[in-house]
Amino acid sequence: MLLRKPLTALLAFFFTAGAVFSFSPQDIHTYTLENGLRLSVLSDTSSATVRLELDVYAGYSVQTERTAGYIPLYARLLSQALGGAEAGADALRMVRTVAPRDVEQALVTLSGALRPLSVTDGELGRALAAMKSEVTDYAASAAGFINTAIDARVFSAAPWKQESGVYPALFT
């Protein structure tokens, strides 16, 4: 649906051990797999945990007028299916922090994001209804009014490239 060629999407798995406060670009090792996926590794032995991050570079900034709203919807459905997906300006991101013994299972779970998402009409309807409700509530709030006024100026040429809600075309 959203990603036509998920195996060619740019990915970044960051293997870190806990929080990383300072590192240089030379510390990150990037590998390109045969299928075009990029694997980035950042080692940090200061903690016993492993942080895995899957970034699919498709966010609000790549939406078009025709596709606006699908990225947040896809993130919501993916989060329901696999847990913890969120859409940002530049990427759809899933993060797991696990013990070393759980890395393989976490990678298997994250790889589920690369397969076509299978949802029922009911799940899709519930997700759309929840998004409509959130957009309506947001529009009625003071924060929604202020942010929409700002977004209307900042994104006047391309109003669909904003995070605040779902572009109405998605609901038609």
Side-chain angles (χ1 to χ4, degrees):
M1 159 166 92
L2 173 66
L3 301 173
R4 292 179 187 232
K5 296 181 181 179
L7 293 179
T8 60
L10 298 176
L11 299 179
F13 284 111
F14 286 100
F15 292 72
T16 64
V20 176
F21 297 105
S22 66
F23 60 90
S24 69
Q26 293 83 5
D27 295 333
I28 300 174
H29 303 284
T30 302
Y31 307 93
T32 302
L33 305 179
E34 288 179 17
N35 61 7
L37 296 179
R38 279 194 327 197
L39 177 68
S40 299
V41 178
L42 173 63
S43 296
D44 176 8
T45 58
S46 65
S47 174
T49 60
V50 177
R51 176 185 164 102
L52 303 169
E53 184 173 322
L54 171 68
D55 293 335
V56 178
Y57 295 112
Y60 300 117
S61 62
V62 297
Q63 292 186 128
T64 65
E65 186 172 11
R66 197 174 133 266
T67 63
Y70 286 104
I71 291 169
L73 175 62
Y74 185 77
R76 180 181 296 257
L77 293 169
L78 190 61
S79 188
Q80 289 171 357
L82 300 174
E86 66 180 54
D90 297 326
L92 182 70
R93 174 170 290 143
M94 295 180 72
V95 177
R96 299 287 187 274
T97 303
V98 298
R101 71 176 185 279
D102 298 328
V103 167
E104 185 176 349
Q105 182 55 44
L107 285 171
V108 169
T109 301
L110 285 175
S111 70
L114 303 175
R115 293 186 202 103
L117 189 60
S118 176
V119 295
T120 66
D121 288 344
E123 291 168 329
L124 184 60
R126 285 187 292 278
L128 280 171
M131 290 178 81
K132 282 182 183 180
S133 176
E134 289 168 11
V135 169
T136 302
D137 292 346
Y138 181 74
S141 71
F145 175 77
I146 293 168
N147 289 333
T148 301
I150 293 168
D151 286 346
R153 292 205 178 243
V154 173
F155 297 102
S156 61
W160 52 86
K161 291 190 180 273
Q162 62 183 336
E163 182 180 356
S164 57
V166 178
Y167 195 65
L170 179 63
F171 296 117
T172 58

